[in-house]
Amino acid sequence: MAEAQRTCWIEQHDGEAVLHLGGAWRLAGLRDLSRQLGGPDGVLQGAPGAVDGAALQHIDTAAALLLLSAVQDAGADPAALPLTGFDARHARIVEVVRGRLGDTVA
């Protein structure tokens, strides 16, 4: 049986926690993505120093909002959080949402 693709995990790089994203981040999977990110068993047990999207296959605006809200809840400043390894199309989606994050209501 093939191993399921990881959608998020933390790795230490130069003493800093980096949140890695992989697979498809879409509206249809938000519930599972939210569980993987937060809560007692979630990967975000503290503020990441960066987000790496090299293994990301797709991200939509709903998932980008979930991502940025989760890192903010973990203590990171979404406006200053470096994005590394992202495909230009995926980075644009995250940047559009990041630019409007202040307009969202909790």
Side-chain angles (χ1 to χ4, degrees):
M1 179 182 274
E3 181 181 322
Q5 182 173 9
R6 297 188 296 175
T7 56
C8 57
W9 64 98
I10 296 285
E11 290 181 3
Q12 294 293 320
H13 296 280
D14 298 324
E16 184 171 71
V18 176
L19 174 62
H20 290 262
L21 309 180
W25 281 59
R26 295 184 174 158
L27 176 62
L30 285 187
R31 183 173 291 143
D32 288 335
L33 292 168
S34 180
R35 275 189 229 126
Q36 291 175 44
L37 284 171
D41 297 324
V43 299
L44 285 178
Q45 297 301 311
V51 178
D52 185 289
L56 193 61
Q57 296 172 350
H58 182 84
I59 191 166
D60 63 20
T61 56
L65 178 58
L66 171 70
L67 167 67
L68 294 171
S69 296
V71 297
Q72 185 172 36
D73 290 347
D77 177 5
L81 191 66
L83 302 178
T84 63
F86 277 77
D87 175 276
R89 295 167 298 154
H90 300 151
R92 275 193 302 274
I93 290 169
V94 175
E95 291 297 348
V96 164
V97 174
R98 183 170 15 199
R100 301 297 306 264
L101 192 60
D103 297 338
T104 63
V105 183

